[in-house]
Amino acid sequence: QVQLVESGGGLVQAGGSLRLSCAASGSIVSIRTMAWYRQAPGKQRESVATVTSGGSANYVDSVKGRFTISRDNANNTVYLQMNSLKPEDTAVYYCNAVLRDSSSYILRTYWGQGAQVTVSS
């Protein structure tokens, strides 16, 4: 079994910063990509940032220059540093990992439980 456990959400004023963490654990063989998604009330879930095992990162345009995704491969952990937060960043943030586990060795997608980020104006 594989689990993704998130931490670091909370309430912050506009212009502030938060850092999200997500640790993957269990019978993991290898992790291809790790990512952060978010879902605001009444909206579809969207990809915020993705990082490959080699460290290549991609961001949705709305967070470029403000958010930084990073990854600790040794500890199967991904981070999202969020600076200059805006009220429109308010959402539940979900960790995502595409990985192989020892039960089947095929690529599967796993999700964290979600972390609420609220930015007040």
Side-chain angles (χ1 to χ4, degrees):
Q1 247 339 356
V2 174
Q3 285 188 322
L4 302 183
V5 178
E6 305 171 15
S7 60
L11 172 65
V12 66
Q13 288 188 331
S17 298
L18 282 174
R19 189 190 195 210
L20 301 178
S21 301
C22 172
S25 63
S27 54
I28 297 168
V29 174
S30 62
I31 301 178
R32 176 173 288 186
T33 61
M34 300 189 83
W36 289 96
Y37 286 69
R38 67 185 178 187
Q39 187 166 19
K43 295 188 177 182
Q44 289 189 331
R45 189 175 297 190
E46 66 169 349
S47 174
V48 176
T50 302
V51 63
T52 67
S53 58
S56 295
N58 285 287
Y59 301 90
V60 67
D61 285 347
S62 60
V63 308
K64 285 180 179 177
R66 300 188 297 122
F67 290 11
T68 302
I69 189 170
S70 60
R71 180 170 165 173
D72 179 351
N73 289 329
N75 293 299
N76 293 331
T77 301
V78 64
Y79 304 95
L80 186 68
Q81 178 65 43
M82 303 182 291
N83 298 329
S84 302
L85 282 160
K86 304 176 181 180
E88 51 263 44
D89 295 318
T90 295
V92 178
Y93 284 70
Y94 295 92
C95 174
N96 167 286
V98 178
L99 58 86
R100 285 186 173 83
D101 61 53
S102 60
S103 66
S104 67
Y105 287 83
I106 62 172
L107 283 172
R108 296 178 188 268
T109 299
Y110 290 86
W111 293 90
Q113 79 279 10
Q116 178 68 47
V117 171
T118 302
V119 184
S120 63
S121 57

